[in-house]
Amino acid sequence: MHDDRTLVEARLKRVLDERIRPAVYPESVPLEVAVWHAPGEPVPVAEGLAAAPEPIEVGARWGAPWGTSWFRVTGTVPETWAGRTVEALLDLGFDENMPGFQCEGLVYRPDGSPVKGLNPRNQWVRIGAPVKGGEEVRLHIEAASNPVILDYHPFLPTQLGDKETAGSEPQYTLARMDLAVLDETVWELVLDLEVLGELMAELPVESARRWDILRAVERALDAVDLQDVNGTAAAARSRLTGVLAEPAAPSAHRISAVGHAHIDSAWLWPLRETVRKVARTTSNMTALIEDEPEFIFAMSQAQQWAWVKEHRPEVWARVKKAVADGRFVPAGGMWVESDTNMPGSEAMARQFVHGKRFFLDEFGIENDEAWLPDTFGFAAGLPQIIKAAGSKWLLTQKISWSRTNKFPHHTFQWEGIDGTRIFTHFPPVDTYNCSMRGAELAHAAKNFKDKGAARHSLAPTGWGDGGGGTTREMVAKATRLRDLEGSPTVVWETPTEFFKKAEAEYANAPVWVGELYLELHRATLTSQARTKQGNRRSEHLLREAELWAATAAVRTGFPYPYEELDRIWKTVLLHQFHDILPGSSIAWVHREARRTYERIAEELNGIIDGAQRALAGEGSTELVFNSAPHRRDAVPAGGALPAVVESEVALAPRVNGGYVLDNGLLRVEIDARGLVVSAYDIDADRETIAPGCVANLLQLHPDFPNMWDAWDVDEFYRNTVTDLVDADEVGLGADGVSVRIVRSFGASRVTQVLSLAPGERRLGIDTEVDWHETEKFLKLAFPLDVHADRYASETQFGHFYRPTHTNTSWEAAKFEACNHRFVHIDEPGWGVAIVNDSTYGHDVTRTVRDSDSGTTTTVRVSLLRAPRFPDPETDQGVHHFRHALVPGAGIGDAVREGWRINLPERRMSGAREVAPLVGVAQDAVVVTAVKLADDGSGDVVVRFHESRGGRTRATLTAGFEIGGVTVTDLLERPLAEAATPRRDGDRVTLSLRPFELVTLRLTRA
């Protein structure tokens, strides 16, 4: 037989595009259209429906950036269409290639009830099936003219990312507004041919199945009269029934399709627009659920559910019914799909607390899975948190984006820092916007790394980011692919159903230990410094507010601010979403975030001040309050004592210029350029700074990645560096015992103050940067005379080790990594910590010196970047950072100093000392939360963990009479399997394994 394959395939494409698809709607009549443009922010539905619109014609421009236009479409169904299926085709000016990234609409009936969303791949509204003829049609469309930020030429700087700079030029051209007859036979034929054509293209050319399909398609095309597609579509379909009925091989890969619409809670749109994106998508999905009896849709992010409940009660009613029917599934059990690298220990825990509690309270549903398809890598402390929240599974897809190394598994056990293992799945379809195309499913089957041991994978199916979710076409394709030879099998299932099957078939899944590092988007650890600082400060203010409010409530009857703290926590958690905290959203998002963090700080400082005043009483004694989890200058953790006179720090001129700082423990030499040339640990008789090197060295790199400007820093940035060694000024600080340095470079200026703390081996470095560079990367370098093949960086409830070398491509790819409050590097018996109050990104490198063959290990803190997309003014302006160099530090010192710099002491005049509400004697045990129980019972909840990576016995002493003690999960529910702690009066003792996290609930007698 002659090979006419390409001839038939080309014929299929042209006939589908030019004849069959256009015949889906064979008859149409125009609708009358009128529009009212809301003058500012979106208006309530009732106001939009009641507004007086003006006529507008198809072809007219509409929609200023970020505007809202209310369209009214009216018409009459022709009498001649009686008995047929009729739909309204409403094209706002869509580009089908941009679902979720341009204009969108939500259709309402005149009574205000929602119908469905309008999106580039979902432009129809059902009028009747069948119609009687003569029906009057009246629909209203709330249309959002969201501008296209990420265009065909991506990453171009644009002012469209903020309504304050976006202008008023109309963004869209109104396209088709018609009533049309839907020929369902032709629509089905289109899906038959698409499924078979896509499957055929993925089969081997030598496969008999491919040729069977080819011949069937050819026969179907022969049956189509191109001048009467509608009259011959049924005959064409009949010629495909045989190849569509052939069952899949028993060994075929099995795909669990989960309806999905990944919606970034903010990204290239502001938070307020996400509220509407969610309403459109949930309207779409509840409508599809009513039409398709097998379809299952899952939605994560409790915050998005809460938005629907608050802002769209009419949509919420439909959602609740679909949940009750088991078809609309709460997923993930987190408040948002957060970043997991940067949120602190308690914040990461509260993501699950607030997310799971919302779904339990609203629906009685407990989530067993964490659902994070798009998060930019996963911290090694996360498995323990997932388990402590009562969950056991994790799904993500993002690791498939890694550029250097291909992850070796799709289904595996992920082991965290404490030994906890979580059953984890990466969908091999490699997208969280699967559309049921043959190429996607074939890729999933071929790509699946665990063939031979496992057979199941999951496919999140639907257009995300406001693209409308799953479409009826995807559902129709899945129906054909349920059991089709040559294809993986497809069935609609919930995440729980998938994970149960996957876990059951793969009892001995391989284990991956440590972080799940994404070899991409590393610059998200630095971009938008103010957002990151706002997050860090909010986390610590929340700790203080809970600690002091709980202490005051127990001691003085102070009213514990349950509702305020709940609301503030949810706001902070929202801003940890994986495009807000990482700094990859438009300017509008970060402008609003700054203002939100300012309001949060003001409110939390008010709570803290009120609680501390209640505790201190009226008096003139200056009291020092210590919110950190370790004793500080004789003040116990969680307590307050009278202030004491501090010891002296000596400052003297240095030979050859500069200054020497000395407090008897640490002697620091600063040269005439303001660079640290020596940091000498007097007790250890040891120098910190590597020979011939200088520390506190600011370094400037060009920073123009190949893609994803705010997200990425590419390794070649290191090829060019400018050391900022010239100083405008080097002199005494305002206190007379510190050194002040001023440097200018480009259009920017840096002012630093270096100081020693009395009685501490700690060099404080306060840095102010007035930053006006573009596409530059600013680092602060510390070359250390330490030989180490690994270093520790803090993560949630512990720390994680990374190599300092680049033996393999896996290590080399980690050229920018995350830490929380500290990085620690050591040799046996002596180490150095670098602690911070607000930075996350860093790099660690090692070199061997020619002079003495010693090793220089250089730690560099990432301070600022200046990408121009999606926010062209990223990080412009004044920034403040606090760091400290701590020579002679063990890992426990690093932990303590990290907390110390983030929780500075507070001073207040009062009458009485404050004893801690709870105390733990062992320094290795860190208390991360002291609060009253969320249920309002008045019980005291204490959360703590072992912080050094070793075993310890912890004794907790309560500063009140205990009636009972219970080990709980993060949601403060008793853990049945937990051992009962030993209790002796108001003392509770229990053993902790390395990094173990424990939550205790103490009932007050």
Side-chain angles (χ1 to χ4, degrees):
M1 181 182 294
H2 297 295
D3 185 353
D4 60 350
R5 175 175 48 86
T6 57
L7 188 70
V8 177
E9 291 169 354
R11 179 188 179 195
L12 171 62
K13 183 180 186 307
R14 185 175 186 191
V15 172
L16 261 178
D17 289 346
E18 298 185 21
R19 292 291 189 271
I20 301 179
R21 288 194 184 98
V24 169
Y25 292 103
E27 299 177 57
S28 64
V29 295
L31 289 160
E32 293 186 8
V33 189
V35 66
W36 173 72
H37 302 293
E41 283 293 280
V43 300
V45 173
E47 184 176 342
L49 295 176
E54 299 289 334
I56 185 173
E57 298 294 328
V58 167
R61 300 282 290 169
W62 72 276
W66 306 114
T68 301
S69 298
W70 283 84
F71 290 93
R72 184 188 67 197
V73 296
T74 55
T76 304
V77 176
E79 299 284 353
T80 57
W81 290 1
R84 303 171 79 178
T85 298
V86 175
E87 295 181 342
L89 301 182
L90 308 173
D91 186 346
L92 299 172
F94 294 127
D95 179 340
E96 288 194 357
N97 295 316
M98 287 195 173
F101 295 94
Q102 54 169 242
C103 57
E104 301 168 29
L106 181 54
V107 179
Y108 296 90
R109 300 179 184 90
D111 65 0
S113 59
V115 182
K116 65 188 291 289
L118 292 180
N119 314 92
R121 300 293 183 99
N122 208 323
Q123 303 176 20
W124 58 273
V125 175
R126 182 63 59 89
I127 301 301
V131 296
K132 296 178 180 179
E135 291 96 334
E136 294 297 320
V137 175
R138 184 186 181 99
L139 297 171
H140 298 263
I141 308 167
E142 181 190 15
S145 50
N146 301 333
V148 175
I149 306 295
L150 190 65
D151 213 332
Y152 284 97
H153 187 165
F155 318 122
L156 289 180
T158 175
Q159 295 296 327
L160 291 171
D162 195 330
K163 64 177 180 177
E164 295 183 355
T165 59
S168 58
E169 184 70 22
Q171 299 292 294
Y172 297 100
T173 300
L174 194 65
R176 187 175 187 179
M177 292 274 156
D178 290 347
L179 285 178
V181 172
L182 171 67
D183 188 324
E184 295 184 74
T185 302
V186 176
W187 185 83
E188 297 282 5
L189 176 61
V190 169
L191 273 299
D192 289 345
L193 290 171
E194 284 186 355
V195 166
L196 289 170
E198 291 166 3
L199 173 59
M200 180 172 59
E202 298 303 320
L203 295 171
V205 173
E206 65 275 11
S207 157
R209 174 64 169 165
R210 179 163 182 159
W211 289 91
D212 287 345
I213 295 173
L214 185 81
R215 292 302 163 217
V217 166
E218 184 179 38
R219 290 192 295 273
L221 295 177
D222 289 343
V224 175
D225 182 342
L226 299 184
Q227 277 66 53
D228 185 16
V229 173
N230 301 89
T232 55
R237 290 201 73 204
S238 69
R239 299 191 179 188
L240 299 173
T241 55
V243 290
L244 285 168
E246 291 294 333
S251 61
H253 187 67
R254 298 170 185 176
I255 292 178
S256 297
V258 178
H260 187 240
H262 172 75
I263 301 178
D264 286 318
S265 289
W267 180 27
L268 304 180
W269 47 86
L271 288 167
R272 67 91 155 144
E273 192 55 32
T274 313
V275 175
R276 302 202 295 174
K277 283 177 177 280
V278 173
R280 298 175 200 122
T281 298
T282 51
S283 296
N284 251 1
M285 294 301 92
T286 51
L288 189 62
I289 283 169
E290 292 172 1
D291 293 340
E292 301 289 349
E294 295 184 357
F295 176 61
I296 299 288
F297 181 76
M299 189 169 92
S300 67
Q301 306 193 74
Q303 171 69 87
Q304 295 188 0
W305 292 70
W307 279 333
V308 177
K309 181 182 180 182
E310 178 183 358
H311 297 284
R312 289 290 196 268
E314 65 284 356
V315 179
W316 180 247
R318 291 167 56 175
V319 168
K320 287 188 70 174
K321 180 183 182 303
V323 172
D325 293 340
R327 308 278 305 287
F328 199 118
V329 181
M334 295 176 67
W335 190 246
V336 294
E337 290 183 13
S338 72
D339 180 81
T340 74
N341 284 312
M342 290 177 282
S345 302
E346 271 304 305
M348 201 73 254
R350 305 298 175 98
Q351 286 285 353
F352 288 90
V353 169
H354 287 284
K356 295 194 77 167
R357 188 171 287 145
F358 181 89
F359 292 141
L360 283 164
D361 290 348
E362 294 294 335
F363 308 113
I365 290 175
E366 173 100 11
N367 292 101
D368 287 326
E369 78 288 335
W371 183 275
L372 293 165
D374 192 30
T375 295
F376 309 153
F378 299 89
L382 187 58
Q384 179 175 208
I385 299 171
I386 294 173
K387 182 179 180 181
S391 297
K392 57 186 178 182
W393 303 317
L394 169 67
L395 178 135
T396 185
Q397 182 271 320
K398 199 68 171 188
I399 300 298
S400 70
W401 286 40
S402 285
R403 290 287 176 82
T404 305
N405 298 285
K406 188 77 170 176
F407 198 81
H409 318 294
H410 281 105
T411 304
F412 59 99
Q413 294 281 356
W414 178 30
E415 182 178 316
I417 57 174
D418 73 312
T420 297
R421 291 181 177 179
I422 294 296
F423 189 78
T424 301
H425 180 66
F426 295 171
V429 71
D430 281 351
T431 177
Y432 42 80
N433 294 304
C434 177
S435 60
M436 286 289 129
R437 290 187 299 112
E440 293 172 331
L441 303 188
H443 176 74
K446 294 173 186 175
N447 186 41
F448 189 54
K449 298 289 185 184
D450 303 288
K451 288 187 283 284
R455 190 175 294 168
H456 285 82
S457 73
L458 186 146
T461 303
W463 301 115
D465 285 329
T470 317
T471 66
R472 61 182 178 184
E473 288 79 13
M474 296 175 194
V475 176
K477 285 188 171 186
T479 300
R480 290 160 172 79
L481 295 164
R482 184 184 297 114
D483 189 15
L484 183 62
E485 183 186 355
S487 170
T489 63
V490 177
V491 60
W492 294 104
E493 290 189 307
T494 66
T496 295
E497 289 170 333
F498 161 75
F499 272 109
K500 284 182 176 179
K501 289 180 180 178
E503 197 170 32
E505 76 173 359
Y506 209 7
N508 296 312
V511 177
W512 181 270
V513 178
E515 67 182 333
L516 296 172
Y517 179 90
L518 178 64
E519 296 171 354
L520 195 73
H521 293 359
R522 303 167 181 89
T524 57
L525 302 173
T526 305
S527 296
Q528 297 287 1
R530 292 185 190 90
T531 300
K532 291 171 171 58
Q533 289 178 323
N535 171 75
R536 179 76 71 85
R537 187 69 181 127
S538 297
E539 288 180 353
H540 288 89
L541 285 171
L542 276 161
R543 171 197 170 80
E544 291 188 85
E546 289 181 339
L547 168 66
W548 299 118
T551 305
V554 173
R555 295 277 167 71
T556 73
F558 179 81
Y560 192 79
Y562 291 101
E563 293 183 3
E564 294 91 336
L565 291 171
D566 180 79
R567 170 177 46 79
I568 294 169
W569 261 118
K570 288 173 179 175
T571 301
V572 172
L573 298 177
L574 166 60
H575 285 78
Q576 291 176 342
F577 178 75
H578 66 252
D579 276 307
I580 303 179
L581 180 54
S584 46
S585 287
I586 55 173
W588 188 347
V589 174
H590 293 289
R591 172 172 55 81
E592 285 192 332
R594 289 193 293 274
R595 295 174 183 172
T596 298
Y597 286 131
E598 289 169 0
R599 291 194 300 271
I600 286 171
E602 182 178 4
E603 189 168 1
L604 289 174
N605 277 314
I607 293 171
I608 295 163
D609 183 74
Q612 290 181 340
R613 288 191 181 282
L615 289 163
E618 295 296 328
S620 58
T621 301
E622 186 182 33
L623 297 172
V624 176
F625 284 79
N626 177 18
S627 303
H630 303 91
R631 180 176 295 274
R632 174 161 54 191
D633 300 330
V635 182
L641 290 178
V644 297
V645 177
E646 296 180 338
S647 58
E648 295 290 328
V649 174
L651 183 148
R654 177 177 175 269
V655 178
N656 299 323
Y659 297 91
V660 178
L661 293 170
D662 193 328
N663 65 359
L665 297 174
L666 190 62
R667 184 170 65 249
V668 177
E669 295 188 34
I670 302 160
D671 72 8
R673 301 170 297 173
L675 302 171
V676 175
V677 294
S678 174
Y680 196 76
D681 181 347
I682 295 171
D683 285 346
D685 191 21
R686 170 141 184 185
E687 177 58 60
T688 306
I689 310 304
C693 297
V694 294
N696 189 42
L697 174 64
L698 291 161
Q699 296 183 302
L700 191 67
H701 296 270
D703 185 17
F704 188 63
N706 291 342
M707 298 176 67
W708 299 106
D709 295 40
W711 295 256
D712 283 358
V713 56
D714 290 330
E715 191 172 13
F716 55 73
Y717 89 93
R718 291 177 168 181
N719 296 348
T720 306
V721 61
T722 301
D723 291 343
L724 304 179
V725 297
D726 295 331
D728 301 343
E729 303 173 31
V730 177
L732 296 182
D735 60 2
V737 290
S738 59
V739 179
R740 180 175 179 270
I741 306 117
V742 179
R743 305 184 196 280
S744 299
F745 58 96
S748 303
R749 178 182 173 94
V750 175
T751 302
Q752 290 185 301
V753 176
L754 307 187
S755 60
L756 282 186
E760 301 284 348
R761 284 196 303 267
R762 180 177 67 249
L763 173 65
I765 304 167
D766 288 11
T767 303
E768 178 183 284
V769 187
D770 189 2
W771 180 248
H772 298 284
E773 306 307 301
T774 58
E775 296 166 352
K776 295 289 193 295
F777 197 1
L778 184 63
K779 293 255 186 181
L780 181 61
F782 299 89
L784 308 173
D785 190 11
V786 178
H787 176 81
D789 60 3
R790 67 175 190 170
Y791 73 97
S793 58
E794 188 185 32
T795 188
Q796 292 98 1
F797 298 110
H799 56 267
F800 175 67
Y801 286 100
R802 297 187 183 94
T804 60
H805 58 75
T806 54
N807 280 359
T808 72
S809 58
W810 293 88
E811 287 124 13
K814 295 185 179 183
F815 59 83
E816 185 79 4
C818 182
N819 67 279
H820 287 187
R821 285 169 288 241
F822 71 79
V823 167
H824 180 259
I825 187 163
D826 67 351
E827 298 172 0
W830 194 86
V832 183
I834 296 170
V835 300
N836 72 84
D837 77 337
S838 60
T839 56
Y840 296 91
H842 69 275
D843 68 82
V844 178
T845 56
R846 67 201 301 269
T847 58
V848 175
R849 302 184 293 269
D850 292 336
S851 59
D852 62 357
S853 297
T855 301
T856 297
T857 303
T858 301
V859 178
R860 299 199 308 163
V861 175
S862 302
L863 295 181
L864 290 166
R865 298 183 69 238
R868 301 190 64 214
F869 181 87
D871 176 3
E873 301 299 319
T874 301
D875 281 333
Q876 300 300 296
V878 178
H879 303 267
H880 299 268
F881 305 99
R882 296 176 66 230
H883 293 86
L885 175 70
V886 190
I891 195 69
D893 301 307
V895 173
R896 184 187 64 252
E897 294 297 339
W899 279 100
R900 184 172 192 148
I901 198 171
N902 281 273
L903 285 166
E905 63 186 24
R906 291 176 182 261
R907 292 176 179 250
M908 175 182 293
S909 295
R912 53 182 176 265
E913 300 175 0
V914 179
L917 187 62
V918 295
V920 179
Q922 293 78 6
D923 276 352
V925 177
V926 169
V927 175
T928 60
V930 177
K931 59 190 286 293
L932 295 193
D934 291 340
D935 61 8
S937 63
D939 292 353
V940 175
V941 172
V942 186
R943 187 150 34 247
F944 52 91
H945 70 284
E946 195 287 321
S947 67
R948 299 182 184 178
R951 294 183 181 272
T952 191
R953 183 174 297 274
T955 300
L956 181 146
T957 303
F960 57 94
E961 188 177 351
I962 297 177
V965 57
T966 307
V967 180
T968 74
D969 66 5
L970 294 180
L971 277 70
E972 301 167 9
R973 304 174 297 189
L975 281 176
E977 69 275 15
T980 302
R982 189 171 77 244
R983 180 181 157 208
D984 181 11
D986 297 331
R987 293 162 59 89
V988 179
T989 302
L990 67 168
S991 297
L992 298 180
R993 66 179 185 273
F995 299 127
E996 183 177 3
L997 161 65
V998 175
T999 304
L1000 291 185
R1001 182 169 181 148
L1002 308 177
T1003 304
R1004 292 151 61 189

